[in-house]
Amino acid sequence: MKSILTIWVMASLVFMGCAQLAGNESKAEGPAPTVEVISPVKMDKKATTTIKGQGFKPGQEVNLLFTAKDGIESDIGYALEPAPKADESGTWSTTWKCGGFIARKLVMEGKSYKIAVTDGDYNPIAHTFVSFSK
Amino acid sequence: MAMVIDKKWLKFVCLSLVIISSIWVLTANEAAAKSEFPSKTISYVIPTSPGGGFDTFSRMIIPYLRKYLPGNPNIIIKNLPGGEWKIGINKMYRAKPDGHTIGILNMPANALPQVLGEAKYDLRKATWLGNIDDVTYVTALSLKSKYKTLEALKKAPVVTSGTVGLASTAGLGTVLAAERMGIKMKYIPHSGSTEAILAGIRGDVDWVQYPFSTLKKSIVDSQDLIPVWVYSKKRIDQIPNVPTIAELGYPELVDVVKMLRPVAAPPGLPDDIAKIWQDAFWKATNDPEFQKKQIAANASPLPMRPQELEDMVEGAIKLLEQYKDIILKHRK
């Protein structure tokens, strides 16, 4: 009986250890992803800016969330060209047509606003800040 | 003797484990079912660009929806402009019906593609959650227009109107109202309401017809446009001298030229999740603080129950079927 219990406990420990290692594996891959944006952006109704990311998994598709002055997050995917997708080296670059937020006064001059990079379920991966000026 | 006790003990332990694990599996499943919603960030689809009326009122209600949903979940806006609303509606309609994707609509206009057989959705099958407001329309004339009264408009050989298109309730209402009043109207499409109103101010078009909240700046504050009638049963306090369309002899147009901003989820949303959403919407749209903000933005709060919304959708489809020939004529 003791031997059965011993085998069961040992097997459980091995299983838990493997699970823990598997969980940590993805976290241990390369440097943490980062994102940067060309800022400040001119307060112009036709303004655009460039957003770049690095340290992502090759082929990884990401969403970008912009937090406007009301604190509400918006998926700005419709205004990005091209859609952000990491290349073989894990980097991506996209142009954001942000003039709509300026024209509709959803941003204010001199203030910083968050741009978050997320996965498909909007879990955060990295973030940066953008500001607007005349 | 010791061996006999061990076997009995082993049976007892095994039986206990089976019972305990069965109870655990059952309770875990029940708990999982209850906690499935909300389990991640919620997408709120807006089929227009940021900053317009639909975006503005959606941004306004999101904190209150979060307040009344269990767990105060994160809700993000997903603007999907283009395709005369169809891109955004299809995104919502075809999303997984798990409660994590909802979308705002423009009714009755969004029923038009369905009536014309151009839609890949059936609004009668959507899960209706709530309504944000009831939009009152005003017709305003350009200061530079030759026509200043309804009678003059009726006698005119052609009246030009600045609209965004028949996919909007403003454009649709313009066509239907002009037809009913016997005005020979030619509509000039613009990329947005701002551009259409500017065309009216410049005198490029004779007539614009938009929500009071959209036109207020031009008809009350700067008086760049002349309001001639309102599509409501009673006059608007801020423009008390402007008659209602009912006073002018067309009471039926009050129900034709109006717009609601209802919110829906995909068809097949499980009843328990639908109820969570509908309760949250009812509480959010009745929240005095939210309504105060709506009124300050010149909106008319109109919370609606799911059954009322289903009836509204059915009514909108029937209404548009009635005017189908007129609409098709103006689309050519």
Side-chain angles (χ1 to χ4, degrees):
Chain A
M1 187 61 212
K2 279 182 181 175
S3 59
I4 292 170
L5 277 172
T6 307
I7 292 167
W8 183 78
V9 169
M10 291 293 284
S12 299
L13 286 171
V14 170
F15 174 77
M16 287 164 71
C18 289
Q20 186 67 24
L21 281 173
N24 288 340
E25 195 176 12
S26 59
K27 290 175 190 171
E29 270 181 13
T34 58
V35 60
E36 58 184 54
V37 59
I38 295 176
S39 178
V41 177
K42 195 177 173 188
M43 291 284 279
D44 185 293
K45 290 176 182 178
K46 291 183 178 175
T48 63
T49 189
T50 302
I51 307 171
K52 292 177 180 177
Q54 60 180 16
F56 291 80
K57 290 176 190 167
Q60 186 177 2
E61 293 178 25
V62 295
N63 291 322
L64 298 186
L65 294 180
F66 175 70
T67 307
K69 72 174 183 185
D70 55 10
I72 304 291
E73 289 180 298
S74 307
D75 181 335
I76 54 172
Y78 75 96
L80 300 176
E81 187 61 45
K85 184 179 178 181
D87 61 16
E88 286 177 358
S89 65
T91 66
W92 52 263
S93 176
T94 186
T95 300
W96 174 32
K97 288 182 185 171
C98 53
F101 283 91
I102 296 164
R104 299 294 189 157
K105 296 176 181 164
L106 287 164
V107 295
M108 290 167 70
E109 186 190 345
K111 302 277 182 184
S112 286
Y113 299 93
K114 186 177 174 184
I115 295 174
V117 185
T118 74
D119 64 13
D121 284 333
Y122 299 111
N123 296 308
I125 299 172
H127 71 267
T128 186
F129 291 91
V130 62
S131 62
F132 298 85
S133 65
K134 279 191 177 172
Chain B
M1 184 64 191
M3 192 65 189
V4 173
I5 293 166
D6 274 350
K7 275 185 179 176
K8 279 184 179 175
W9 182 78
L10 197 59
K11 276 183 184 175
F12 171 76
V13 168
C14 288
L15 192 62
S16 302
L17 281 173
V18 168
I19 292 167
I20 290 165
S21 56
S22 300
I23 292 167
W24 180 76
V25 166
L26 284 171
T27 53
N29 280 346
E30 194 183 343
K34 280 182 182 170
S35 63
E36 271 174 11
F37 177 80
S39 61
K40 60 180 182 179
T41 295
I42 293 166
S43 294
Y44 184 125
V45 177
I46 303 175
T48 61
S49 305
F54 286 87
D55 185 76
T56 300
F57 290 107
S58 297
R59 288 172 175 276
M60 202 181 276
I61 200 170
I62 281 175
Y64 298 93
L65 290 174
R66 291 186 66 190
K67 177 180 171 183
Y68 293 113
L69 283 169
N72 191 28
N74 191 29
I75 303 177
I76 63 105
I77 281 175
K78 194 171 177 69
N79 296 100
L80 288 171
E84 295 192 319
W85 285 73
K86 291 197 276 283
I87 295 171
I89 296 172
N90 281 326
K91 184 76 179 176
M92 177 280 291
Y93 192 82
R94 296 184 191 292
K96 188 178 174 186
D98 60 3
H100 294 98
T101 305
I102 62 170
I104 190 167
L105 286 98
N106 174 342
M107 291 298 288
N110 288 161
L112 184 59
Q114 183 170 334
V115 169
L116 298 180
E118 298 169 349
K120 291 177 180 171
Y121 54 77
D122 181 351
L123 296 180
R124 282 175 287 215
K125 292 180 181 170
T127 310
W128 295 95
L129 308 177
N131 183 62
I132 295 178
D133 64 354
D134 173 22
V135 179
T136 300
Y137 280 79
V138 176
T139 296
L141 297 177
S142 172
L143 285 171
K144 294 178 182 172
S145 173
K146 286 185 281 185
Y147 317 112
K148 307 294 180 195
T149 64
L150 176 58
E151 288 312 309
L153 288 166
K154 282 180 176 179
K155 288 176 187 168
V158 64
V159 177
T160 53
S161 174
T163 68
V164 177
L166 287 179
S168 70
T169 296
L172 184 63
T174 298
V175 167
L176 299 183
E179 190 75 22
R180 177 69 188 85
M181 291 188 280
I183 296 167
K184 290 177 277 301
M185 199 272 294
K186 181 183 179 187
Y187 82 91
I188 312 294
H190 291 76
S191 57
S193 57
T194 307
E195 290 76 10
I197 292 165
L198 281 173
I201 292 169
R202 285 195 304 264
D204 296 347
V205 295
D206 296 304
W207 156 342
V208 289
Q209 184 167 292
Y210 282 102
F212 174 68
S213 55
T214 306
L215 279 177
K216 182 178 171 279
K217 193 177 167 188
S218 307
I219 61 177
V220 178
D221 304 339
S222 63
Q223 299 187 3
D224 290 325
L225 296 167
I226 311 165
V228 282
W229 61 78
V230 298
Y231 292 91
S232 62
K233 287 176 183 162
K234 61 173 191 173
R235 294 188 180 201
I236 295 175
D237 292 344
Q238 292 97 323
I239 44 173
N241 297 324
V242 180
T244 67
I245 196 70
E247 290 174 60
L248 296 177
Y250 303 97
E252 72 279 12
L253 285 177
V254 173
D255 292 326
V256 175
V257 187
K258 67 172 184 178
M259 181 178 74
L260 298 175
R261 290 190 176 105
V263 176
L269 187 68
D271 289 347
D272 55 339
I273 299 174
K275 187 166 185 328
I276 291 170
W277 261 120
Q278 288 157 350
D279 287 348
F281 242 100
W282 184 250
K283 286 174 186 167
T285 50
N286 280 287
D287 189 300
E289 192 182 279
F290 172 63
Q291 291 196 348
K292 197 175 168 185
K293 286 182 183 176
Q294 283 184 288
I295 292 163
N298 300 305
S300 305
L302 184 64
M304 289 172 79
R305 293 287 195 185
Q307 187 58 54
E308 290 177 288
L309 288 161
E310 285 172 21
D311 293 345
M312 176 275 293
V313 171
E314 195 60 49
I317 290 168
K318 282 182 181 162
L319 174 80
L320 294 178
E321 278 171 349
Q322 192 184 326
Y323 289 101
K324 193 174 172 180
D325 293 339
I326 295 169
I327 295 162
L328 284 170
K329 185 180 87 179
H330 282 272
R331 278 170 62 108
K332 286 176 184 170

